[in-house]
Amino acid sequence: MFVWIAAALLGLAPPAPQALGPPPAPPPRPAPPPRAPLDVPAHGCPADFLQRFDPGPIQPGPLSLVSVSCLDFGTGPFGVSDPILSPDGTSMARWHAGSPAPIEIAGLDPPGRVEIPNRVTFRNFGGAAGGDGAPDALAWAEDSRSLWAVRQSTMSPSGFALAGLEPVTIGRDGTVRALPALRHRAGPLDAILWVGGDGLALAQFGARGSYYRPEHDDPAPALAMVDAARGRVLATVPKPRTPGRGASIQMNGPALQSAAATILPDGRIRAVIEFGPWGERPEGAGPDETIVHPPVWMTWTQGETPRIWPALHPREFGHRFALTPDGSRLLVIRPLQPEGMPPICPRAPPCRPAPPPIPVAGPIAELIQLGTRRVLWRLPARAARFWSQNAAPAISPDGRYALILLPPDADRSPIALVEMASGRIVQTLAPAQVGSTAYAMGFDPRGRRAWVSVGNVVRVYGLARR
C-alpha cells in the first residue's frame, strides 16, 4: 500500500483500464548495447557494478564524477534522515525513524557499518516533533572522529518522552559519551540544531510538553544559542513580537517551521528561523474568535537583538533553506508543483487515475540579501509532475556555487549547479530516476568536491577551480 501511495504521489500510477481483450503484441525492441564501464573507483560495490551503473547525464562544467561508493547501510524501519558526509570525506551517517531508530555510520572506503540504537522523541528542529524535512539533531565533528547527537529516555512502545534531550558524542566505533547537561529556566531541551563542528547549536527549551508522559504545560518556551560541549547557554531570545501588530510569536508547537544557521568569521552564531501561521485567542474572546497571524521570519545574530520580518510569500511556509558561509544571504527553495491532484488509489490497482497534472512554471529558488531582504535573483523552473521537494540546498564553503534539486525532467530528477553571484545554472547532473530515494547533497569543507547520495549509493564529483 505504501509503495502504491508513493507511486501515486509521484505521478507514476498506471493508466486507466482498457477494454477487455488480448493485449496487442509489443513491437520487438533491439537489445541495448553493452554499457562501457566507467573509469572511476567503485568502493564497496559488486564486481560488475560499474558496467551496470547508470551515472545519468552530466553536462560539461566544473563537476566531474571521480568515484562511486555503495554504502553498507541497513534497510531498517521506514523513514530515514538525509545522510551527511564526514568532513574528511570517508564516512556517511544517518538516523532512522521509528524504533529502535538506530544511527548508522558507514564507510565509503573501505566499506563497513556501525549501528547505534538511539530512539528519541524529538529528532527534528522545526515543525511537529519528528516532522519530515526538518534538520536532524545529528552532525559531524570538525575532525571527523565523532558525531554530535542527542539521546532521550522514552516510553515503549509509544515513544512519548519521559525526559528532555541529552547532548552526546558518538565515536566512529559507536562509543557514546555524555556531554554536560543543558539547563534552561524555560524547561527541558526539546530540539537542537548543530551549527558547525565544534558543539555550538541552536536549541529549543520547554516547547513540546504535549509529547511527554505525563504531559506538562509550556508557559514560556525559549530559543537559545548553546555550547553543548561545555553545557553553556550563550544567548536567549527574549519573547519576540511581530512587527506592526506587536503579537507574541508562538515559539512552541508547529509554528516554528525550520531554521538554518552558520558560524560568522568572528566566531558568532547567526540563525534564520521561519515561523508559520499561528492562532491566538484574545483574552475574554469566545471559542470562535481566533486571530490567525501570518508567517514571519527571524534573523538572530549572537549578541544582537533578533530582527523579525514579514514573510516574502505569506501563503508559503515550511521551506528548506541555507545560509551562505558569511551569513549575509539566504538561499530559499520555493514550492513548485503542477496544478491538479495526485492520483491516489485507496485500494490495490487497477484504479481510476486522476486527470493528468497541469504543468506550472515559476521560481524554484531565490537568493535573499538578509540586510535589506531584497531578492537578488530567482531561478525559474517548470514542474510537469508531482515530486518531493525535501532535499535542502547546499552551498559551497567559498559561497561560489550551490546545488539545487530541480523538478523531474522526463524520467530523471536533475540537480543544478548554480552560480551564486548570478543565479545562472552552469551545469546539470541527473544521477537518479524519478521515484528514487530522496537526495542529500553537499560540498566538502575545502570546496574541492561535491557529493550526491541516492539510496545507498554516493557519487563524488571533483569541482574544478576556475
Side-chain angles (χ1 to χ4, degrees):
M1 175 63 73
F2 289 108
V3 173
W4 172 248
I5 293 176
L9 289 172
L10 289 171
L12 303 178
Q18 303 295 318
L20 296 177
R29 302 178 63 181
R35 187 187 305 277
L38 295 171
D39 187 21
V40 297
H43 306 298
C45 303
D48 63 341
F49 181 80
L50 287 182
Q51 188 163 353
R52 298 183 288 106
F53 177 70
D54 183 2
I58 304 177
Q59 294 178 347
L63 294 176
S64 57
L65 186 67
V66 296
S67 69
V68 180
S69 294
C70 300
L71 303 181
D72 189 26
F73 277 147
T75 53
F78 178 78
V80 294
S81 69
D82 292 342
I84 50 177
L85 184 69
S86 59
D88 64 6
T90 63
S91 299
M92 299 284 287
R94 71 178 185 182
W95 202 336
H96 275 285
S99 179
I103 292 174
E104 295 177 299
I105 305 172
L108 272 66
D109 181 35
R113 177 167 63 99
V114 174
E115 182 176 294
I116 306 98
N118 191 17
R119 187 182 190 184
V120 299
T121 308
F122 313 127
R123 199 186 73 182
N124 303 99
F125 192 99
D132 292 335
D136 284 281
L138 190 68
W140 280 101
E142 193 172 42
D143 61 5
S144 300
R145 296 180 180 178
S146 60
L147 291 160
W148 300 101
V150 288
R151 64 185 176 187
Q152 187 173 35
S153 176
T154 62
M155 293 184 69
S156 182
S158 66
F160 283 105
L162 296 174
L165 297 171
E166 301 174 7
V168 298
T169 63
I170 301 175
R172 294 177 75 144
D173 61 355
T175 303
V176 180
R177 182 173 66 89
L179 295 172
L182 285 171
R183 305 187 187 282
H184 198 285
R185 62 182 179 275
L189 177 63
D190 285 345
I192 197 165
L193 170 63
W194 300 104
V195 187
D198 290 327
L200 300 179
L202 194 64
Q204 193 177 17
F205 293 92
R208 291 170 170 173
S210 61
Y211 290 90
Y212 282 79
R213 290 298 179 269
E215 294 185 31
H216 61 257
D217 293 330
D218 296 314
L223 284 174
M225 293 175 177
V226 301
D227 181 348
R230 297 168 179 81
R232 295 173 51 202
V233 175
L234 304 176
T236 299
V237 174
K239 200 166 187 178
R241 293 184 172 273
T242 60
R245 296 186 181 186
S248 294
I249 296 177
Q250 187 183 89
M251 298 179 66
N252 57 353
L256 196 160
Q257 291 290 310
S258 195
T262 191
I263 306 295
L264 299 178
D266 61 8
R268 294 183 299 163
I269 302 172
R270 174 169 292 169
V272 174
I273 303 163
E274 179 188 18
F275 295 91
W278 73 95
E280 180 184 29
R281 185 177 299 168
E283 187 176 350
D288 298 329
E289 299 178 52
T290 300
I291 299 174
V292 178
H293 297 282
V296 295
W297 293 63
M298 180 170 76
T299 304
W300 183 24
T301 303
Q302 185 179 347
E304 299 179 9
T305 301
R307 293 185 293 113
I308 313 296
W309 41 286
L312 297 181
H313 311 286
R315 295 185 179 182
E316 301 174 5
F317 54 92
H319 298 84
R320 302 300 298 268
F321 49 91
L323 273 166
T324 54
D326 65 359
S328 66
R329 295 165 295 162
L330 187 71
L331 179 60
V332 181
I333 301 302
R334 299 276 304 277
L336 183 64
Q337 299 287 345
E339 293 182 357
M341 291 292 293
I344 298 178
C345 300
R347 299 178 181 176
C351 67
R352 190 173 182 178
I358 301 173
V360 169
I364 188 64
E366 60 188 21
L367 186 67
I368 301 170
Q369 184 73 41
L370 281 181
T372 61
R373 299 192 293 277
R374 183 168 64 93
V375 177
L376 302 177
W377 51 254
R378 292 185 174 93
L379 180 65
R382 180 178 181 272
R385 65 176 74 185
F386 298 102
W387 62 298
S388 171
Q389 291 189 248
N390 279 339
I395 301 175
S396 62
D398 60 3
R400 183 174 182 181
Y401 294 113
L403 292 171
I404 296 173
L405 184 63
L406 299 177
D409 180 13
D411 294 327
R412 293 279 179 173
S413 293
I415 293 175
L417 180 70
V418 177
E419 186 178 63
M420 288 288 286
S422 63
R424 180 177 63 93
I425 296 178
V426 297
Q427 190 176 8
T428 302
L429 313 174
Q433 295 180 341
V434 172
S436 297
T437 305
Y439 286 106
M441 48 201 177
F443 296 88
D444 76 333
R446 292 184 292 179
R448 296 180 179 177
R449 294 193 172 186
W451 58 273
V452 175
S453 173
V454 183
N456 282 16
V457 178
V458 177
R459 297 156 171 83
V460 179
Y461 299 88
L463 180 58
R465 300 196 175 196
R466 295 186 174 182

